[in-house]
Coordinates of all heavy atoms in Angstrom, one line a residue:
W8 N 0.9 -1.2 0.0 CA 0.0 0.0 0.0 C 0.9 1.2 0.0 O 1.9 1.3 0.7 CB -0.9 0.0 1.2 CG -1.9 -1.1 1.3 CD1 -1.8 -2.3 1.7 CD2 -3.3 -1.0 0.7 NE1 -2.9 -3.1 1.6 CE2 -3.9 -2.3 1.0 CE3 -4.0 0.0 0.1 CZ2 -5.2 -2.5 0.6 CZ3 -5.3 -0.3 -0.2 CH2 -5.9 -1.5 0.0
I9 N 0.5 2.2 -0.8 CA 1.2 3.5 -0.8 C 0.4 4.6 -0.1 O -0.7 4.9 -0.5 CB 1.5 4.0 -2.3 CG1 2.2 2.9 -3.0 CG2 2.3 5.2 -2.2 CD1 3.6 2.5 -2.5
L10 N 1.0 5.1 1.0 CA 0.3 6.0 1.9 C 0.7 7.4 1.7 O 1.9 7.7 1.6 CB 0.5 5.6 3.4 CG 0.0 6.5 4.4 CD1 -1.6 6.6 4.4 CD2 0.5 6.1 5.8
N11 N -0.3 8.3 1.5 CA 0.0 9.8 1.3 C -1.0 10.5 2.2 O -2.1 10.1 2.4 CB -0.2 10.2 -0.1 CG 1.0 9.8 -1.0 OD1 2.1 10.5 -0.9 ND2 0.9 8.8 -1.8
G12 N -0.5 11.7 2.7 CA -1.4 12.5 3.5 C -0.7 13.0 4.8 O 0.5 13.0 4.9
N13 N -1.5 13.5 5.7 CA -0.9 13.9 7.0 C -1.8 13.8 8.1 O -3.1 13.8 7.9 CB -0.3 15.4 6.9 CG -1.4 16.4 6.6 OD1 -2.3 16.2 5.8 ND2 -1.3 17.5 7.4
K14 N -1.3 13.7 9.3 CA -2.1 13.7 10.6 C -1.6 14.8 11.5 O -0.5 15.1 11.5 CB -1.9 12.3 11.2 CG -2.4 11.1 10.4 CD -3.9 11.1 10.3 CE -4.4 9.9 9.4 NZ -5.9 9.9 9.3
R15 N -2.6 15.2 12.3 CA -2.3 16.4 13.2 C -2.6 16.0 14.7 O -3.4 15.2 14.9 CB -3.0 17.6 12.8 CG -2.4 18.9 13.4 CD -2.9 20.1 12.6 NE -1.9 21.2 12.9 CZ -2.1 22.4 12.3 NH1 -3.0 22.7 11.5 NH2 -1.2 23.4 12.6
W16 N -2.0 16.7 15.6 CA -2.2 16.6 17.0 C -1.8 15.2 17.5 O -2.5 14.6 18.3 CB -3.6 16.9 17.4 CG -4.2 18.1 16.8 CD1 -5.4 18.2 16.0 CD2 -3.8 19.5 16.9 NE1 -5.6 19.5 15.6 CE2 -4.6 20.3 16.1 CE3 -2.7 20.1 17.6 CZ2 -4.5 21.7 16.0 CZ3 -2.5 21.4 17.4 CH2 -3.4 22.2 16.7
I17 N -0.7 14.7 17.0 CA -0.3 13.3 17.4 C 0.6 13.4 18.6 O 1.7 13.9 18.6 CB 0.4 12.6 16.2 CG1 -0.5 12.7 15.0 CG2 0.6 11.1 16.6 CD1 -1.9 12.3 15.1
T18 N 0.1 12.8 19.7 CA 0.8 12.8 21.0 C 2.0 11.9 21.0 O 1.9 10.7 20.5 CB -0.2 12.4 22.1 OG1 -1.4 13.2 22.0 CG2 0.4 12.6 23.5
N19 N 3.0 12.3 21.6 CA 4.3 11.6 21.6 C 4.9 11.3 20.3 O 5.7 10.4 20.1 CB 4.2 10.3 22.5 CG 4.1 10.6 23.9 OD1 4.3 11.8 24.4 ND2 3.7 9.6 24.7
A20 N 4.5 12.1 19.3 CA 5.1 11.9 17.9 C 6.6 12.3 18.0 O 7.0 13.3 18.7 CB 4.4 12.8 16.9
G21 N 7.4 11.6 17.4 CA 8.9 11.8 17.4 C 9.5 11.0 18.5 O 10.7 10.8 18.5
I22 N 8.7 10.5 19.5 CA 9.2 9.7 20.6 C 8.8 8.2 20.2 O 9.6 7.3 20.4 CB 8.6 10.1 21.9 CG1 9.0 11.5 22.3 CG2 9.0 9.1 23.0 CD1 10.5 11.7 22.4
S23 N 7.6 8.0 19.8 CA 7.1 6.7 19.4 C 7.9 6.1 18.3 O 8.2 6.8 17.3 CB 5.6 6.7 19.2 OG 4.9 7.0 20.3
K24 N 8.1 4.8 18.3 CA 8.7 4.0 17.2 C 7.6 3.6 16.2 O 7.9 3.5 15.0 CB 9.4 2.8 17.8 CG 10.2 2.0 16.7 CD 11.0 0.9 17.4 CE 11.7 0.1 16.4 NZ 12.5 -1.0 17.0
Y25 N 6.4 3.4 16.7 CA 5.3 2.9 15.8 C 4.1 3.8 15.9 O 3.9 4.5 17.0 CB 4.9 1.5 16.2 CG 6.1 0.5 16.1 CD1 6.5 -0.1 17.2 CD2 6.7 0.3 14.9 CE1 7.6 -1.1 17.2 CE2 7.8 -0.6 14.8 CZ 8.2 -1.3 16.0 OH 9.3 -2.2 15.9
Y26 N 3.3 3.9 14.8 CA 2.1 4.7 14.8 C 1.0 3.9 14.1 O 1.1 3.3 13.1 CB 2.4 6.0 13.9 CG 3.5 6.8 14.5 CD1 4.8 6.5 14.2 CD2 3.2 7.9 15.3 CE1 5.8 7.3 14.7 CE2 4.2 8.7 15.8 CZ 5.5 8.4 15.5 OH 6.6 9.2 16.0
T27 N -0.2 3.9 14.8 CA -1.4 3.3 14.3 C -2.1 4.4 13.5 O -2.5 5.4 14.1 CB -2.3 2.7 15.3 OG1 -1.6 1.8 16.1 CG2 -3.5 2.1 14.7
V28 N -2.1 4.2 12.2 CA -2.6 5.3 11.3 C -3.8 4.9 10.5 O -3.9 3.8 10.0 CB -1.5 5.7 10.2 CG1 -2.0 6.7 9.3 CG2 -0.2 6.1 11.0
M29 N -4.8 5.7 10.6 CA -6.1 5.5 9.8 C -6.0 6.2 8.5 O -5.7 7.4 8.5 CB -7.3 6.0 10.6 CG -7.4 5.4 12.0 SD -7.5 3.6 12.1 CE -7.1 3.3 13.8
A30 N -6.3 5.5 7.4 CA -6.3 6.2 6.1 C -7.4 5.6 5.2 O -7.8 4.4 5.4 CB -5.0 5.9 5.4
S31 N -7.9 6.3 4.3 CA -9.0 5.9 3.4 C -8.3 5.0 2.3 O -7.4 5.4 1.6 CB -9.7 7.1 2.7 OG -10.6 6.6 1.8
T32 N -8.9 3.8 2.2 CA -8.5 2.9 1.1 C -9.6 2.8 0.0 O -9.3 2.3 -1.1 CB -8.2 1.5 1.6 OG1 -9.3 1.1 2.5 CG2 -6.9 1.5 2.5
D33 N -10.7 3.4 0.3 CA -11.8 3.4 -0.7 C -12.7 4.6 -0.3 O -13.7 4.5 0.4 CB -12.6 2.1 -0.7 CG -13.6 2.0 -1.9 OD1 -13.9 3.1 -2.5 OD2 -14.1 0.9 -2.2
P34 N -12.4 5.8 -0.8 CA -13.1 7.0 -0.5 C -14.6 7.0 -0.7 O -15.4 7.6 0.0 CB -12.4 8.1 -1.3 CG -11.1 7.6 -1.6 CD -11.2 6.1 -1.7
E35 N -15.0 6.2 -1.7 CA -16.4 6.2 -2.1 C -17.3 5.5 -1.0 O -18.5 5.7 -0.9 CB -16.6 5.4 -3.4 CG -16.0 6.2 -4.6 CD -16.3 5.5 -5.9 OE1 -17.0 4.4 -5.9 OE2 -15.9 5.9 -7.0
K36 N -16.6 4.7 -0.2 CA -17.4 4.0 0.9 C -17.4 4.8 2.2 O -18.0 4.3 3.2 CB -16.7 2.6 1.1 CG -16.9 1.7 0.0 CD -16.3 0.3 0.3 CE -16.5 -0.7 -0.8 NZ -15.9 -2.0 -0.5
G37 N -16.8 6.0 2.2 CA -16.8 6.8 3.5 C -16.2 6.1 4.6 O -15.1 5.5 4.4
P38 N -16.8 6.1 5.8 CA -16.1 5.4 7.0 C -15.8 3.9 6.7 O -14.9 3.4 7.3 CB -17.2 5.6 8.1 CG -17.9 6.8 7.7 CD -18.0 6.8 6.2
K39 N -16.7 3.3 5.9 CA -16.5 1.8 5.6 C -15.3 1.6 4.7 O -15.0 0.4 4.4 CB -17.8 1.2 5.1 CG -18.9 1.2 6.1 CD -20.1 0.5 5.5 CE -21.3 0.5 6.6 NZ -22.5 -0.2 6.1
G40 N -14.7 2.7 4.2 CA -13.6 2.6 3.3 C -12.3 3.0 4.0 O -11.3 3.2 3.3
I41 N -12.3 3.1 5.3 CA -11.1 3.4 6.1 C -10.4 2.2 6.6 O -11.1 1.3 7.1 CB -11.5 4.4 7.2 CG1 -12.0 5.7 6.6 CG2 -10.3 4.6 8.2 CD1 -12.6 6.7 7.7
S42 N -9.1 2.1 6.5 CA -8.4 1.0 7.0 C -7.3 1.5 8.0 O -6.9 2.7 7.9 CB -7.7 0.2 5.8 OG -8.7 -0.2 4.9

């Protein structure tokens, strides 16, 4: 998967080694197209 975009207000960003990121994989499905 190729991820593009940005997220804001991420707590402990730059300290954490891993990030659980929500992104749209099918925009036409709205919330049901988020992975």
Side-chain angles (χ1 to χ4, degrees):
W8 293 87
I9 305 299
L10 175 64
N11 283 283
N13 65 315
K14 297 291 180 179
R15 197 162 200 178
W16 314 122
I17 309 307
T18 308
N19 287 348
I22 300 297
S23 292
K24 183 176 181 179
Y25 303 118
Y26 300 82
T27 302
V28 178
M29 307 297 165
S31 176
T32 48
D33 190 342
E35 294 183 0
K36 292 183 178 180
K39 294 182 179 180
I41 293 172
S42 302

